[in-house]
Amino acid sequence: MCTGKWAKCTADLLFPLALCCIVANILLFFPNGKVWSTKKITEAIWYLPGIIGGGILVKFCFIKHNFCTNLMLQMMLSMVMSGLGVAGTLYCILVSVVGLQDGPLSCFYLLFSESYLFKQEIWEVCEQPENVVLWNVVLFSILLGVGTLEAVLSLTQVTNGLVGCLCGTTVGVPETC
């Protein structure tokens, strides 16, 4: 597969993943589908890991560089933009881990004394908003998983861009592209 086709394939895979991160982050603002005060939702949500990290910065990976006619320069730009995508996914992953570790603010003092992630029986301690712990665990886990997948795809695109820069693209060779 030529470097140009791999770049397009990566972009096609990253687009729905970026949308998934954005939607998961927006849903974190509304525990159990309801609007609550900022004192009751997780602080890590306000760092916008899915919107900034898993969404906007990852979208740099699939910006077309048609203003440049040099294919090697296009691959270098693709490599740089994918590097921004890697940075965004790492941000998404780190903030999601912090969100999972800290838990909801409304339960902070109740859950902080013990590791709450693997003890579902203490999730019931948080009565308001209802099911807030499950909501946070599921959505931050989605951000963590999707962010990891985006990181792998972005890293492959950085490698692809490097190969395209150093070896050239195979555009115009019908047998391989």
Side-chain angles (χ1 to χ4, degrees):
M1 180 182 289
C2 72
T3 56
K5 279 193 177 181
W6 179 250
K8 184 183 178 335
C9 179
T10 304
D12 290 344
L13 291 171
L14 282 173
F15 185 75
L17 293 174
L19 287 177
C20 182
C21 280
I22 291 170
V23 168
N25 199 141
I26 291 170
L27 287 174
L28 278 166
F29 283 105
F30 306 102
N32 214 26
K34 297 176 183 160
V35 178
W36 290 90
S37 74
T38 57
K39 295 178 182 175
K40 293 192 177 195
I41 59 176
T42 307
E43 185 178 345
I45 299 169
W46 295 102
Y47 298 130
L48 306 174
I51 295 172
I52 294 172
I56 294 171
L57 288 177
V58 168
K59 287 187 179 187
F60 281 120
C61 290
F62 44 93
I63 292 176
K64 295 199 183 272
H65 311 290
N66 293 337
F67 60 88
C68 175
T69 57
N70 185 332
L71 292 176
M72 286 195 187
L73 187 57
Q74 284 182 2
M75 292 308 290
M76 186 177 76
L77 287 172
S78 173
M79 185 175 65
V80 170
M81 293 300 178
S82 296
L84 282 174
V86 171
T89 59
L90 291 176
Y91 175 76
C92 180
I93 290 167
L94 291 174
V95 174
S96 297
V97 167
V98 169
L100 279 170
Q101 177 187 348
D102 290 350
L105 286 180
S106 60
C107 309
F108 182 73
Y109 297 108
L110 300 172
L111 298 178
F112 189 69
S113 60
E114 303 178 47
S115 176
Y116 75 97
L117 284 176
F118 302 108
K119 296 182 182 177
Q120 291 185 1
E121 61 273 3
I122 65 171
W123 292 8
E124 302 300 321
V125 172
C126 300
E127 296 173 357
Q128 295 229 345
E130 186 179 339
N131 297 323
V132 69
V133 178
L134 179 63
W135 190 265
N136 278 4
V137 169
V138 168
L139 291 172
F140 274 123
S141 296
I142 288 172
L143 284 174
L144 183 62
V146 172
T148 304
L149 188 56
E150 286 178 333
V152 169
L153 288 171
S154 296
L155 280 172
T156 62
Q157 182 53 33
V158 169
T159 306
N160 180 50
L162 182 62
V163 169
C165 277
L166 298 177
C167 302
T169 59
T170 54
V171 173
V173 183
E175 298 84 36
T176 56
C177 289

Coordinates of all heavy atoms in Angstrom, one line a residue, residues 79-121:
M79 N 3.2 14.4 8.5 CA 3.9 13.8 9.7 C 3.9 14.8 10.8 O 3.6 14.4 12.0 CB 5.4 13.6 9.3 CG 6.2 12.9 10.3 SD 7.8 12.5 9.8 CE 8.5 14.1 9.5
V80 N 4.1 16.1 10.6 CA 4.0 17.1 11.6 C 2.6 17.2 12.2 O 2.4 17.2 13.4 CB 4.5 18.5 11.1 CG1 4.2 19.6 12.1 CG2 6.0 18.4 10.8
M81 N 1.6 17.2 11.4 CA 0.2 17.3 11.8 C -0.2 16.1 12.6 O -0.9 16.1 13.6 CB -0.8 17.5 10.6 CG -0.6 18.8 10.0 SD -0.9 20.2 11.1 CE -0.6 21.6 10.1
S82 N 0.3 14.9 12.2 CA 0.0 13.7 12.9 C 0.7 13.7 14.3 O 0.2 13.1 15.2 CB 0.5 12.5 12.1 OG -0.3 12.4 10.9
G83 N 1.9 14.4 14.4 CA 2.5 14.6 15.7 C 1.6 15.4 16.6 O 1.6 15.1 17.8
L84 N 1.0 16.4 16.1 CA 0.0 17.1 16.9 C -1.1 16.2 17.4 O -1.6 16.3 18.5 CB -0.6 18.3 16.1 CG 0.3 19.5 16.0 CD1 -0.4 20.5 15.1 CD2 0.5 20.1 17.4
G85 N -1.6 15.3 16.5 CA -2.6 14.3 16.8 C -2.1 13.4 17.9 O -2.9 13.1 18.8
V86 N -0.9 13.0 17.9 CA -0.3 12.1 18.9 C -0.4 12.9 20.3 O -0.7 12.3 21.3 CB 1.1 11.6 18.6 CG1 1.7 10.9 19.8 CG2 1.0 10.7 17.4
A87 N 0.1 14.1 20.2 CA 0.1 15.0 21.5 C -1.4 15.1 22.0 O -1.6 15.0 23.2 CB 0.7 16.3 21.2
G88 N -2.3 15.3 21.1 CA -3.7 15.4 21.5 C -4.3 14.1 22.2 O -5.0 14.1 23.2
T89 N -3.9 13.0 21.6 CA -4.4 11.7 22.1 C -3.7 11.4 23.5 O -4.4 10.9 24.3 CB -4.1 10.5 21.1 OG1 -2.7 10.4 20.9 CG2 -4.9 10.7 19.8
L90 N -2.5 11.8 23.6 CA -1.8 11.6 24.9 C -2.5 12.5 26.0 O -2.7 12.0 27.1 CB -0.3 11.9 24.8 CG 0.5 10.9 24.0 CD1 1.9 11.4 23.9 CD2 0.4 9.5 24.6
Y91 N -2.9 13.7 25.6 CA -3.6 14.6 26.5 C -4.9 13.9 26.9 O -5.3 13.9 28.1 CB -3.8 15.9 25.8 CG -4.7 16.9 26.6 CD1 -4.2 17.5 27.7 CD2 -6.0 17.1 26.3 CE1 -4.9 18.4 28.5 CE2 -6.8 18.0 27.0 CZ -6.2 18.6 28.1 OH -7.0 19.5 28.8
C92 N -5.6 13.4 25.9 CA -6.9 12.7 26.2 C -6.8 11.5 27.1 O -7.5 11.4 28.0 CB -7.6 12.3 24.8 SG -9.2 11.5 25.0
I93 N -5.7 10.7 26.9 CA -5.5 9.6 27.7 C -5.2 10.0 29.1 O -5.7 9.4 30.1 CB -4.4 8.7 27.1 CG1 -4.8 8.1 25.8 CG2 -3.9 7.7 28.0 CD1 -3.7 7.4 24.9
L94 N -4.3 10.9 29.3 CA -3.9 11.3 30.6 C -5.0 11.9 31.4 O -5.2 11.6 32.6 CB -2.7 12.3 30.6 CG -1.4 11.7 30.1 CD1 -0.3 12.8 29.9 CD2 -0.9 10.7 31.1
V95 N -5.8 12.8 30.8 CA -6.9 13.4 31.5 C -8.0 12.4 31.8 O -8.6 12.4 32.9 CB -7.5 14.6 30.7 CG1 -8.7 15.2 31.4 CG2 -6.4 15.7 30.6
S96 N -8.2 11.4 31.0 CA -9.2 10.3 31.2 C -8.7 9.5 32.4 O -9.6 9.1 33.2 CB -9.3 9.5 30.0 OG -9.9 10.2 28.9
V97 N -7.4 9.2 32.5 CA -6.9 8.4 33.6 C -7.2 9.2 34.9 O -7.6 8.6 35.9 CB -5.5 8.0 33.4 CG1 -4.8 7.5 34.7 CG2 -5.3 7.0 32.3
V98 N -6.9 10.5 34.9 CA -7.1 11.3 36.1 C -8.6 11.3 36.4 O -8.9 11.2 37.6 CB -6.5 12.7 35.8 CG1 -7.0 13.7 36.9 CG2 -5.0 12.7 35.8
G99 N -9.4 11.5 35.4 CA -10.9 11.5 35.7 C -11.4 10.2 36.3 O -12.2 10.1 37.2
L100 N -10.8 9.0 35.8 CA -11.2 7.7 36.4 C -10.6 7.6 37.8 O -11.3 7.1 38.7 CB -10.6 6.6 35.5 CG -11.4 6.2 34.3 CD1 -10.6 5.3 33.4 CD2 -12.7 5.6 34.7
Q101 N -9.4 8.1 38.0 CA -8.8 8.0 39.3 C -9.5 8.8 40.4 O -9.8 8.4 41.5 CB -7.4 8.4 39.3 CG -6.7 8.4 40.6 CD -5.3 8.9 40.5 OE1 -4.7 9.2 39.4 NE2 -4.7 9.2 41.6
D102 N -9.9 10.0 40.0 CA -10.5 11.0 41.0 C -11.9 10.7 41.3 O -12.4 10.9 42.4 CB -10.3 12.4 40.5 CG -8.9 12.9 40.5 OD1 -8.0 12.2 41.1 OD2 -8.6 14.0 40.0
G103 N -12.7 10.3 40.3 CA -14.1 10.0 40.5 C -14.9 11.3 40.5 O -14.3 12.4 40.4
P104 N -16.2 11.2 40.6 CA -17.1 12.4 40.6 C -16.8 13.3 41.9 O -16.5 12.8 42.9 CB -18.5 11.9 40.7 CG -18.3 10.4 40.4 CD -17.0 10.0 40.7
L105 N -16.9 14.6 41.7 CA -16.7 15.6 42.8 C -17.7 15.4 43.9 O -17.4 15.5 45.1 CB -16.8 17.0 42.3 CG -15.6 17.5 41.5 CD1 -15.8 18.9 41.1 CD2 -14.3 17.4 42.3
S106 N -19.0 15.0 43.6 CA -20.0 14.9 44.6 C -19.7 13.7 45.5 O -20.2 13.7 46.6 CB -21.4 14.7 43.9 OG -21.4 13.6 43.1
C107 N -18.8 12.8 45.1 CA -18.5 11.6 45.9 C -17.0 11.6 46.3 O -16.5 10.6 46.8 CB -18.8 10.4 45.1 SG -20.4 10.3 44.4
F108 N -16.4 12.7 46.1 CA -14.9 12.8 46.2 C -14.5 12.3 47.6 O -13.6 11.4 47.8 CB -14.4 14.2 46.0 CG -12.9 14.3 46.1 CD1 -12.1 13.8 45.1 CD2 -12.3 14.9 47.2 CE1 -10.7 13.8 45.2 CE2 -10.9 15.0 47.3 CZ -10.1 14.5 46.3
Y109 N -15.1 12.8 48.7 CA -14.7 12.5 50.0 C -15.1 11.1 50.4 O -14.5 10.4 51.2 CB -15.2 13.5 51.0 CG -14.6 14.8 50.8 CD1 -15.4 15.9 50.3 CD2 -13.3 15.1 51.0 CE1 -14.8 17.1 50.0 CE2 -12.7 16.3 50.8 CZ -13.5 17.3 50.2 OH -13.0 18.6 50.0
L110 N -16.2 10.6 49.8 CA -16.7 9.3 50.1 C -15.9 8.2 49.4 O -15.6 7.1 49.9 CB -18.2 9.1 49.7 CG -19.1 10.1 50.4 CD1 -20.5 10.0 49.7 CD2 -19.2 9.8 51.9
L111 N -15.4 8.5 48.2 CA -14.7 7.5 47.4 C -13.2 7.6 47.5 O -12.5 6.7 47.2 CB -15.1 7.7 45.9 CG -16.6 7.4 45.6 CD1 -16.8 7.7 44.1 CD2 -17.0 6.1 45.9
F112 N -12.7 8.8 48.0 CA -11.3 9.0 48.0 C -10.6 8.1 48.9 O -9.4 7.7 48.7 CB -11.0 10.4 48.3 CG -9.5 10.8 48.1 CD1 -9.0 10.9 46.8 CD2 -8.7 11.1 49.2 CE1 -7.7 11.2 46.7 CE2 -7.4 11.4 49.0 CZ -6.9 11.5 47.8
S113 N -11.2 7.7 50.0 CA -10.6 6.8 51.0 C -10.3 5.4 50.5 O -9.4 4.8 51.0 CB -11.5 6.8 52.3 OG -12.7 6.2 51.9
E114 N -11.0 5.0 49.5 CA -10.8 3.6 48.9 C -10.7 3.7 47.4 O -11.2 4.7 46.8 CB -12.0 2.7 49.3 CG -12.3 2.6 50.8 CD -13.5 1.8 51.0 OE1 -13.5 0.7 50.4 OE2 -14.3 2.2 51.8
S115 N -10.2 2.7 46.8 CA -10.2 2.6 45.4 C -11.6 2.2 44.9 O -12.0 1.1 45.2 CB -9.1 1.6 44.9 OG -9.2 1.5 43.5
Y116 N -12.3 3.1 44.3 CA -13.7 2.8 44.0 C -13.9 2.1 42.7 O -15.0 1.5 42.5 CB -14.5 4.1 44.0 CG -14.3 4.9 42.7 CD1 -15.2 4.9 41.7 CD2 -13.1 5.8 42.6 CE1 -14.9 5.6 40.5 CE2 -12.9 6.5 41.5 CZ -13.8 6.4 40.4 OH -13.6 7.1 39.3
L117 N -13.0 2.1 41.8 CA -13.2 1.5 40.5 C -13.6 0.0 40.5 O -14.4 -0.4 39.7 CB -11.9 1.7 39.6 CG -11.7 3.1 39.1 CD1 -10.4 3.2 38.3 CD2 -12.9 3.5 38.2
F118 N -13.0 -0.7 41.4 CA -13.3 -2.2 41.4 C -14.2 -2.6 42.5 O -14.4 -3.8 42.7 CB -12.0 -2.9 41.4 CG -11.0 -2.6 40.3 CD1 -9.9 -1.8 40.5 CD2 -11.3 -3.0 39.0 CE1 -9.1 -1.5 39.5 CE2 -10.5 -2.7 38.0 CZ -9.4 -1.9 38.2
K119 N -14.8 -1.7 43.2 CA -15.7 -2.0 44.3 C -17.1 -1.3 44.0 O -17.4 -0.3 44.5 CB -15.2 -1.4 45.6 CG -13.9 -2.1 46.0 CD -13.4 -1.6 47.4 CE -12.1 -2.2 47.7 NZ -11.6 -1.7 49.0
Q120 N -17.8 -2.0 43.2 CA -19.1 -1.5 42.7 C -20.1 -1.3 43.9 O -21.0 -0.5 43.7 CB -19.7 -2.3 41.6 CG -18.9 -2.3 40.3 CD -19.6 -3.1 39.2 OE1 -20.7 -3.6 39.4 NE2 -19.0 -3.1 38.1
E121 N -19.9 -2.0 44.9 CA -20.9 -1.9 46.1 C -20.8 -0.5 46.7 O -21.8 0.0 47.3 CB -20.6 -2.9 47.1 CG -19.3 -2.9 47.8 CD -18.2 -3.7 47.0 OE1 -18.5 -4.3 45.9 OE2 -17.1 -3.8 47.5

